[in-house]
Amino acid sequence: MSKVLAALSVSVDGFITGRDPGLGRGLGDGGVLFDWYFSGDTPSQVFDGFNLSEPSARVFDALAARDGVSVAGRNTYDDSGWDQGGAPHPTAPLVVLSHRPAPAHHDRQTFTSTIEEAITVAKEQAGGKDVGLMGGGVVTAALEAGLVDEIVLHQVPVLLGSGRRFFNELPEHISLDIVDVVPAPGVTHLHYRVIR
Ligand SMILES: NC(=O)c1ccc[n+]([C@@H]2O[C@H](COP(=O)([O-])OP(=O)(O)OC[C@H]3O[C@@H](n4cnc5c(N)ncnc54)[C@H](OP(=O)(O)O)[C@@H]3O)[C@@H](O)[C@H]2O)c1
């Protein structure tokens, strides 16, 4: 059965971007969060052009191979220019969550307007593989709805001080089990299971 997974690069103070992210500006002044994708000598078997350290490649490729579909929030979609087509994963289709209609229609993209609809549609498209969440707003909405199975913090040793948060405000505590911790050059991979 498909699992719902949020695996994002994050600063120690909890930010998934720096200040002023946006189209053409990437993660704003938080670009360091993606340095570990390109600072090793082990090519990813899933993402062309990614060269990671050996321990990071093991973690990253195992997760990337599980993804059958991505669910992105509207900010991630806009900031990444996916209104021109495309998707974050080389093979998985993209489901977008937004209160607003799609600005453009492209193959491999589906717009949805509630988190429940987004996850239902995503699971239908996942072909038995997993659903990968992208964006702090989407992660928080899915956690509130009790729809997240696993969380991975690719934690980069920096305090960014400001930016978009991995987790926004939640109405109550959510307990986690730690599954795995993998230290690697420039990043520590922290893998949790959500207790429900
Ligand atoms: N560090 C990483 O690994 C990583 C990974 C992915 C993304 N990012 C970055 O994170 C940034 C975006 O994160 P974010 O937290 O600002 O936003 P986000 O989760 O991408 O998008 C939030 C938006 O999604 C829509 N949305 C969220 N919950 C909804 C719900 N329950 N029902 C309907 N629509 C809902 C709303 O859009 P509307 O109300 O406007 O329609 C909301 O403003 C981008 O800059 C992206 O590049 C970083």
Side-chain angles (χ1 to χ4, degrees):
M1 210 167 93
S2 295
K3 294 270 175 55
V4 177
L5 179 74
L8 304 182
S9 289
V10 61
S11 66
V12 170
D13 51 351
F15 295 106
I16 57 171
T17 75
R19 294 168 183 83
D20 201 24
L23 184 59
R25 300 190 302 277
L27 300 180
D29 72 0
V32 65
L33 294 180
F34 286 167
D35 280 359
W36 62 278
Y37 291 151
F38 308 108
S39 53
D41 52 14
T42 307
S44 168
Q45 301 301 304
V46 183
F47 279 66
D48 278 350
F50 280 46
N51 289 295
L52 308 103
S53 68
E54 190 280 327
S56 284
R58 257 188 294 120
V59 171
F60 180 80
D61 277 353
L63 292 168
R66 288 175 49 181
D67 271 346
V69 59
S70 307
V71 175
R74 181 64 180 259
N75 292 350
T76 298
Y77 169 88
D78 287 341
D79 290 358
S80 305
W82 292 326
D83 58 334
Q84 303 301 308
H89 190 280
T91 55
L94 174 65
V95 174
V96 182
L97 179 63
S98 178
H99 297 99
R100 293 168 285 150
H105 294 279
H106 295 284
D107 290 347
R108 297 178 66 219
Q109 293 187 355
T110 308
F111 262 64
T112 58
S113 59
T114 68
I115 188 65
E116 290 81 5
E117 180 193 8
I119 300 299
T120 300
V121 168
K123 285 186 172 178
E124 286 166 6
Q125 295 187 4
K129 296 175 90 177
D130 289 342
V131 175
L133 302 178
M134 303 199 65
V138 161
V139 171
T140 304
L143 281 166
E144 272 195 66
L147 293 171
V148 180
D149 298 299
E150 296 175 40
I151 295 170
V152 179
L153 274 60
H154 301 298
Q155 193 188 68
V156 174
V158 62
L159 298 168
L160 288 176
S162 185
R164 306 276 174 82
R165 294 185 179 281
F166 196 141
F167 306 104
N168 298 319
E169 188 173 335
L170 287 166
E172 56 190 18
H173 294 184
I174 294 175
S175 299
L176 308 172
D177 269 336
I178 187 117
V179 176
D180 202 17
V181 178
V182 178
V187 61
T188 302
H189 307 283
L190 302 160
H191 192 153
Y192 299 92
R193 185 180 304 115
V194 177
I195 300 173
R196 288 199 257 136

PDB file of all heavy atoms in Angstrom, residues 151-166:
ATOM      1  N   ILE A 151       8.341  10.898   7.893  1.00  0.00           N
ATOM      2  CA  ILE A 151       8.972  12.212   7.720  1.00  0.00           C
ATOM      3  C   ILE A 151      10.485  12.009   7.689  1.00  0.00           C
ATOM      4  O   ILE A 151      11.029  11.293   8.530  1.00  0.00           O
ATOM      5  CB  ILE A 151       8.605  13.145   8.895  1.00  0.00           C
ATOM      6  CG1 ILE A 151       7.094  13.437   8.899  1.00  0.00           C
ATOM      7  CG2 ILE A 151       9.404  14.437   8.839  1.00  0.00           C
ATOM      8  CD1 ILE A 151       6.621  14.156  10.148  1.00  0.00           C
ATOM      9  N   VAL A 152      11.134  12.625   6.707  1.00  0.00           N
ATOM     10  CA  VAL A 152      12.598  12.593   6.658  1.00  0.00           C
ATOM     11  C   VAL A 152      13.111  14.029   6.662  1.00  0.00           C
ATOM     12  O   VAL A 152      12.739  14.829   5.806  1.00  0.00           O
ATOM     13  CB  VAL A 152      13.115  11.856   5.408  1.00  0.00           C
ATOM     14  CG1 VAL A 152      14.645  11.873   5.390  1.00  0.00           C
ATOM     15  CG2 VAL A 152      12.594  10.427   5.357  1.00  0.00           C
ATOM     16  N   LEU A 153      13.943  14.340   7.653  1.00  0.00           N
ATOM     17  CA  LEU A 153      14.646  15.623   7.673  1.00  0.00           C
ATOM     18  C   LEU A 153      16.052  15.385   7.117  1.00  0.00           C
ATOM     19  O   LEU A 153      16.838  14.661   7.727  1.00  0.00           O
ATOM     20  CB  LEU A 153      14.777  16.149   9.105  1.00  0.00           C
ATOM     21  CG  LEU A 153      13.634  16.968   9.708  1.00  0.00           C
ATOM     22  CD1 LEU A 153      12.338  16.179   9.756  1.00  0.00           C
ATOM     23  CD2 LEU A 153      14.019  17.449  11.096  1.00  0.00           C
ATOM     24  N   HIS A 154      16.321  15.946   5.948  1.00  0.00           N
ATOM     25  CA  HIS A 154      17.704  15.991   5.464  1.00  0.00           C
ATOM     26  C   HIS A 154      18.278  17.267   6.096  1.00  0.00           C
ATOM     27  O   HIS A 154      18.201  18.353   5.519  1.00  0.00           O
ATOM     28  CB  HIS A 154      17.753  16.071   3.947  1.00  0.00           C
ATOM     29  CG  HIS A 154      17.086  14.924   3.229  1.00  0.00           C
ATOM     30  ND1 HIS A 154      17.510  13.620   3.355  1.00  0.00           N
ATOM     31  CD2 HIS A 154      16.037  14.892   2.371  1.00  0.00           C
ATOM     32  CE1 HIS A 154      16.758  12.837   2.594  1.00  0.00           C
ATOM     33  NE2 HIS A 154      15.859  13.576   1.994  1.00  0.00           N
ATOM     34  N   GLN A 155      18.826  17.106   7.306  1.00  0.00           N
ATOM     35  CA  GLN A 155      19.131  18.292   8.111  1.00  0.00           C
ATOM     36  C   GLN A 155      20.539  18.819   7.827  1.00  0.00           C
ATOM     37  O   GLN A 155      21.538  18.126   8.058  1.00  0.00           O
ATOM     38  CB  GLN A 155      18.984  17.965   9.595  1.00  0.00           C
ATOM     39  CG  GLN A 155      18.972  19.204  10.449  1.00  0.00           C
ATOM     40  CD  GLN A 155      19.017  18.847  11.912  1.00  0.00           C
ATOM     41  OE1 GLN A 155      20.016  18.338  12.411  1.00  0.00           O
ATOM     42  NE2 GLN A 155      17.933  19.107  12.610  1.00  0.00           N
ATOM     43  N   VAL A 156      20.583  20.053   7.342  1.00  0.00           N
ATOM     44  CA  VAL A 156      21.841  20.690   6.946  1.00  0.00           C
ATOM     45  C   VAL A 156      22.317  21.562   8.118  1.00  0.00           C
ATOM     46  O   VAL A 156      21.513  22.295   8.708  1.00  0.00           O
ATOM     47  CB  VAL A 156      21.615  21.534   5.672  1.00  0.00           C
ATOM     48  CG1 VAL A 156      22.853  22.335   5.303  1.00  0.00           C
ATOM     49  CG2 VAL A 156      21.192  20.615   4.515  1.00  0.00           C
ATOM     50  N   PRO A 157      23.610  21.466   8.464  1.00  0.00           N
ATOM     51  CA  PRO A 157      24.101  22.175   9.648  1.00  0.00           C
ATOM     52  C   PRO A 157      24.273  23.674   9.425  1.00  0.00           C
ATOM     53  O   PRO A 157      25.377  24.192   9.278  1.00  0.00           O
ATOM     54  CB  PRO A 157      25.439  21.477   9.947  1.00  0.00           C
ATOM     55  CG  PRO A 157      25.895  20.956   8.638  1.00  0.00           C
ATOM     56  CD  PRO A 157      24.663  20.624   7.846  1.00  0.00           C
ATOM     57  N   VAL A 158      23.129  24.353   9.385  1.00  0.00           N
ATOM     58  CA  VAL A 158      23.131  25.808   9.257  1.00  0.00           C
ATOM     59  C   VAL A 158      21.891  26.345   9.972  1.00  0.00           C
ATOM     60  O   VAL A 158      20.860  25.666  10.019  1.00  0.00           O
ATOM     61  CB  VAL A 158      23.120  26.229   7.756  1.00  0.00           C
ATOM     62  CG1 VAL A 158      21.863  25.738   7.043  1.00  0.00           C
ATOM     63  CG2 VAL A 158      23.266  27.733   7.596  1.00  0.00           C
ATOM     64  N   LEU A 159      22.016  27.542  10.524  1.00  0.00           N
ATOM     65  CA  LEU A 159      20.863  28.272  11.064  1.00  0.00           C
ATOM     66  C   LEU A 159      20.552  29.380  10.060  1.00  0.00           C
ATOM     67  O   LEU A 159      21.328  30.332   9.934  1.00  0.00           O
ATOM     68  CB  LEU A 159      21.201  28.862  12.440  1.00  0.00           C
ATOM     69  CG  LEU A 159      21.542  27.842  13.526  1.00  0.00           C
ATOM     70  CD1 LEU A 159      22.150  28.543  14.750  1.00  0.00           C
ATOM     71  CD2 LEU A 159      20.311  27.060  13.940  1.00  0.00           C
ATOM     72  N   LEU A 160      19.459  29.259   9.322  1.00  0.00           N
ATOM     73  CA  LEU A 160      19.161  30.240   8.273  1.00  0.00           C
ATOM     74  C   LEU A 160      18.503  31.491   8.834  1.00  0.00           C
ATOM     75  O   LEU A 160      18.524  32.539   8.198  1.00  0.00           O
ATOM     76  CB  LEU A 160      18.262  29.610   7.193  1.00  0.00           C
ATOM     77  CG  LEU A 160      18.948  28.594   6.277  1.00  0.00           C
ATOM     78  CD1 LEU A 160      17.927  27.979   5.315  1.00  0.00           C
ATOM     79  CD2 LEU A 160      20.091  29.215   5.490  1.00  0.00           C
ATOM     80  N   GLY A 161      17.855  31.374   9.979  1.00  0.00           N
ATOM     81  CA  GLY A 161      17.308  32.558  10.631  1.00  0.00           C
ATOM     82  C   GLY A 161      15.938  32.987  10.146  1.00  0.00           C
ATOM     83  O   GLY A 161      15.181  33.608  10.891  1.00  0.00           O
ATOM     84  N   SER A 162      15.585  32.663   8.887  1.00  0.00           N
ATOM     85  CA  SER A 162      14.282  33.044   8.338  1.00  0.00           C
ATOM     86  C   SER A 162      14.035  32.240   7.068  1.00  0.00           C
ATOM     87  O   SER A 162      14.980  31.680   6.493  1.00  0.00           O
ATOM     88  CB  SER A 162      14.262  34.542   8.028  1.00  0.00           C
ATOM     89  OG  SER A 162      12.976  34.930   7.615  1.00  0.00           O
ATOM     90  N   GLY A 163      12.787  32.205   6.618  1.00  0.00           N
ATOM     91  CA  GLY A 163      12.439  31.463   5.412  1.00  0.00           C
ATOM     92  C   GLY A 163      11.095  30.784   5.580  1.00  0.00           C
ATOM     93  O   GLY A 163      10.318  31.131   6.480  1.00  0.00           O
ATOM     94  N   ARG A 164      10.793  29.817   4.709  1.00  0.00           N
ATOM     95  CA  ARG A 164       9.557  29.027   4.820  1.00  0.00           C
ATOM     96  C   ARG A 164       9.840  27.829   5.733  1.00  0.00           C
ATOM     97  O   ARG A 164      10.882  27.182   5.612  1.00  0.00           O
ATOM     98  CB  ARG A 164       9.130  28.521   3.449  1.00  0.00           C
ATOM     99  CG  ARG A 164       8.993  29.612   2.414  1.00  0.00           C
ATOM    100  CD  ARG A 164       7.635  30.277   2.482  1.00  0.00           C
ATOM    101  NE  ARG A 164       7.586  31.421   1.579  1.00  0.00           N
ATOM    102  CZ  ARG A 164       7.348  31.334   0.268  1.00  0.00           C
ATOM    103  NH1 ARG A 164       7.108  30.163  -0.281  1.00  0.00           N
ATOM    104  NH2 ARG A 164       7.347  32.406  -0.476  1.00  0.00           N
ATOM    105  N   ARG A 165       8.882  27.533   6.578  1.00  0.00           N
ATOM    106  CA  ARG A 165       9.093  26.471   7.571  1.00  0.00           C
ATOM    107  C   ARG A 165       8.689  25.096   7.041  1.00  0.00           C
ATOM    108  O   ARG A 165       7.712  24.986   6.313  1.00  0.00           O
ATOM    109  CB  ARG A 165       8.260  26.755   8.825  1.00  0.00           C
ATOM    110  CG  ARG A 165       8.707  27.988   9.545  1.00  0.00           C
ATOM    111  CD  ARG A 165       7.957  28.198  10.843  1.00  0.00           C
ATOM    112  NE  ARG A 165       8.451  29.396  11.496  1.00  0.00           N
ATOM    113  CZ  ARG A 165       9.578  29.446  12.189  1.00  0.00           C
ATOM    114  NH1 ARG A 165      10.301  28.360  12.360  1.00  0.00           N
ATOM    115  NH2 ARG A 165       9.986  30.571  12.736  1.00  0.00           N
ATOM    116  N   PHE A 166       9.426  24.064   7.462  1.00  0.00           N
ATOM    117  CA  PHE A 166       9.038  22.670   7.169  1.00  0.00           C
ATOM    118  C   PHE A 166       7.683  22.422   7.813  1.00  0.00           C
ATOM    119  O   PHE A 166       6.761  21.888   7.190  1.00  0.00           O
ATOM    120  CB  PHE A 166      10.092  21.732   7.750  1.00  0.00           C
ATOM    121  CG  PHE A 166      10.083  20.304   7.239  1.00  0.00           C
ATOM    122  CD1 PHE A 166      11.292  19.646   7.009  1.00  0.00           C
ATOM    123  CD2 PHE A 166       8.911  19.601   7.007  1.00  0.00           C
ATOM    124  CE1 PHE A 166      11.319  18.322   6.555  1.00  0.00           C
ATOM    125  CE2 PHE A 166       8.926  18.283   6.558  1.00  0.00           C
ATOM    126  CZ  PHE A 166      10.136  17.647   6.327  1.00  0.00           C
TER     127      PHE A 166
END
